[in-house]
Amino acid sequence: WPSANFRDSRSLANGPIRVMFELVYAAWDVNGRPVRERKRVTLDAGQHLSRFESDYQADGTRPAVYGAGIKKQAGAVSVSNVADGILRSWEPVKDNGNVGCGIVVAPGSAVEVTEADGNYVIVSRVPSAGPAVYYAGFGWDRSGDVKDVADWDRYLKQAAERQRAPVLVSVGAR
């Protein structure tokens, strides 16, 4: 049950290092229940993956699962690892190398990977509190950052590992 286009937006950061904005979607029908979404997108300079945070509401409750997907393209090869929360594709770009698309979901939240409406979709649990968080982006083998599909797989695996063991910072008085 995909949402329609967003109905409202606001910019939260517009700097050279980080761009952050929010999108608000009008309610859409999911099995007779209106579901609403507020999505915050963060794009950091020099990164291949952007952070997506979606807060879902359905009649005062939270939906159980959500999906994030990659469009299936001719010649694309998809690989997934539900345990690591990774979905990726690797596909040729006509006469211009190859591009990898990837999604990394929060640790332990992935339920399954499926295909729907011409897309590869990773289905994940919505947390009981806070937003559903996933990272999505791409790498191109002619950019100089990603050499080949093995390099793209390594990049996504490292992104998943960073989510499992995030850097924690605390500030205290001396």
Side-chain angles (χ1 to χ4, degrees), residues 5 13 21 49 57 65 72 77 81 95-96 108 119 123 146 150 162:
N5 290 334
F21 56 92
L49 300 176
Q57 294 295 320
V65 296
K72 283 178 66 172
V77 175
N81 183 324
D95 300 323
N96 207 7
N119 298 284
V123 178
V146 176
R162 282 192 299 276

Side-chain angles (χ1 to χ4, degrees), residues 56-77:
Y56 296 101
Q57 294 295 320
D59 289 337
T61 63
R62 297 169 71 77
V65 296
Y66 72 98
I70 299 171
K71 177 81 174 142
K72 283 178 66 172
Q73 298 291 348
V77 175

Side-chain angles (χ1 to χ4, degrees), residues 7-18:
R7 296 289 181 229
D8 193 17
S9 65
R10 69 181 182 134
S11 178
L12 302 171
N14 192 17
I17 296 174
R18 172 171 282 177

Side-chain angles (χ1 to χ4, degrees), residues 83-147:
D84 287 341
I86 298 171
L87 168 63
R88 74 101 169 123
S89 68
W90 187 258
E91 63 196 59
V93 178
K94 186 179 179 185
D95 300 323
N96 207 7
N98 297 282
V99 68
C101 295
I103 299 172
V104 177
V105 300
S109 71
V111 175
E112 68 174 325
V113 172
T114 187
E115 293 184 24
D117 298 324
N119 298 284
Y120 304 113
V121 179
I122 188 164
V123 178
S124 302
R125 285 182 291 285
V126 174
S128 59
V133 176
Y134 65 94
Y135 292 79
F138 72 97
W140 180 39
D141 66 0
R142 295 207 178 160
S143 69
D145 294 337
V146 176
K147 294 180 287 208

Side-chain angles (χ1 to χ4, degrees), residues 23 28 32 38 47 58 70 79 90 97 99 115 119 121 134 152 154-155 163-165 167 171:
L23 304 172
W28 70 96
R38 178 180 303 272
Q47 299 299 308
I70 299 171
V79 172
W90 187 258
V99 68
E115 293 184 24
N119 298 284
V121 179
Y134 65 94
W152 183 235
R154 234 181 338 273
Y155 185 88
Q163 280 204 57
R164 275 192 297 281
V167 173
V171 179

